[in-house]
Amino acid sequence: MSSQEQPTDTSTAESTILEVEGVSKRFGGLVAVDDVSFTLDQGTILGVIGPNGAGKTTLFNVVNGFLDPEEGSVRLNGVDITHADPSEHAKQGMARTFQLVKPFGPLTVLDNVMVGSFLKTGSRKEAEKLAMKRLEFLGLEEIADVPAQNITVAQKKKMELCRALATDPEIILVDEVMAGLQQEEQREILDALERINNAGTTIVLIEHVMDALMEISERIIVLNEGKLIADGEPDEIGTNDEVIEAYLGESWREQQERMSDA
Ligand SMILES: Nc1ncnc2c1ncn2[C@@H]1O[C@H](COP(=O)(O)OP(=O)(O)OP(=O)(O)O)[C@@H](O)[C@H]1O
Ligand SMILES: [Mg+2]
């Protein structure tokens, strides 16, 4: 066999952490995710973009076990997790954040994050230590004892990230963590994601804040009407005609042209 004819099944390759193969998810007559396939190398930051309703969150829900797909499979480190529930995913090393943050309001920030760390340890002391470590990581330690219902949107988004990180994941799915935040807060989250990634964690990031996403992603996949329409490096995606037409818009192209002329 020549080197061009290597088998395409990479499930045994050490560097492949996630394999999504031919996944479809329907809601009645609507095909929310339509035959989507991609693989992901360990340590990558993958961006996921596409218009509202394209199927991005639904794809996360399938990958994370909240929804069962009608077709296709999801493998984590070579293990088929297609029909495993979310707590099983957490044990296997996958965590996610939610687009709509619904904290346990009366509980403190620390207790909310401990919901994550209790997936790793049964000891309250240990869970608290893990959770505090994550709160310090994102600069939330001073509000550890504040009820979650009293904190700002930006703090809630960071708390949500801490809760996911408190499970000590190998791979984390982050759904629109920067939406609605000030630029400075977005920058803090970008820095945190970079530090998380530098420590070896693979990150999949759904985001509409394009500058931030283009900056941090090594690779981007694009969904439109449930279908994967592009998969490539940020530069390729940013100049892809189909992606511009479906999502980025002509104003994006003009802005890029202005920037390259300057
Ligand atoms: N539980 C559900 N029941 C029925 N339809 C759903 C359900 N969840 C999502 N959908 C539909 O599936 C499609 C994909 O929705 P999804 O939330 O995955 O989009 P998205 O790409 O995350 O959009 P956004 O950028 O607005 O968050 C939409 O048409 C949505 O209305
Ligand atoms: Mg969504």
Side-chain angles (χ1 to χ4, degrees), residues 92-160:
Q92 299 275 346
M94 183 186 284
R96 63 95 51 98
T97 69
F98 290 89
Q99 184 170 356
L100 298 171
V101 185
K102 289 189 195 136
F104 301 106
L107 294 188
T108 65
V109 168
L110 178 63
D111 283 335
N112 269 276
V113 175
M114 282 171 67
V115 170
S117 47
F118 270 127
L119 285 164
K120 271 283 153 185
T121 171
S123 145
R124 190 173 173 87
K125 210 171 152 205
E126 190 60 25
E128 192 173 312
K129 209 170 109 190
L130 272 171
M132 270 316 286
K133 209 171 96 186
R134 295 313 192 178
L135 288 174
E136 280 159 17
F137 186 73
L138 274 160
L140 295 185
E141 69 275 18
E142 277 170 20
I143 59 162
D145 295 328
V146 176
Q149 60 206 4
N150 298 347
I151 65 177
T152 68
V153 173
Q155 289 169 334
K156 276 184 189 148
K157 293 271 184 178
K158 287 188 197 168
M159 182 184 78
E160 175 74 355

Side-chain angles (χ1 to χ4, degrees), residues 27 30 32 51-58 99 176 208:
F27 297 114
L30 175 82
N52 295 120
K56 304 179 297 294
T57 296
T58 305
Q99 184 170 356
E176 293 203 32
H208 287 292

Side-chain angles (χ1 to χ4, degrees), residues 181-201:
L181 302 192
Q182 308 283 331
Q183 220 159 9
E184 195 182 311
E185 295 161 342
Q186 288 179 6
R187 171 54 51 197
E188 283 170 23
I189 293 208
L190 269 185
D191 289 347
L193 290 172
E194 252 157 16
R195 278 183 284 143
I196 293 162
N197 181 246
N198 286 339
T201 309

Side-chain angles (χ1 to χ4, degrees), residues 23-43:
V23 161
S24 293
K25 179 65 206 170
R26 297 187 187 87
F27 297 114
L30 175 82
V31 190
V33 175
D34 192 353
D35 195 17
V36 167
S37 301
F38 65 94
T39 63
L40 194 56
D41 285 345
Q42 199 152 28

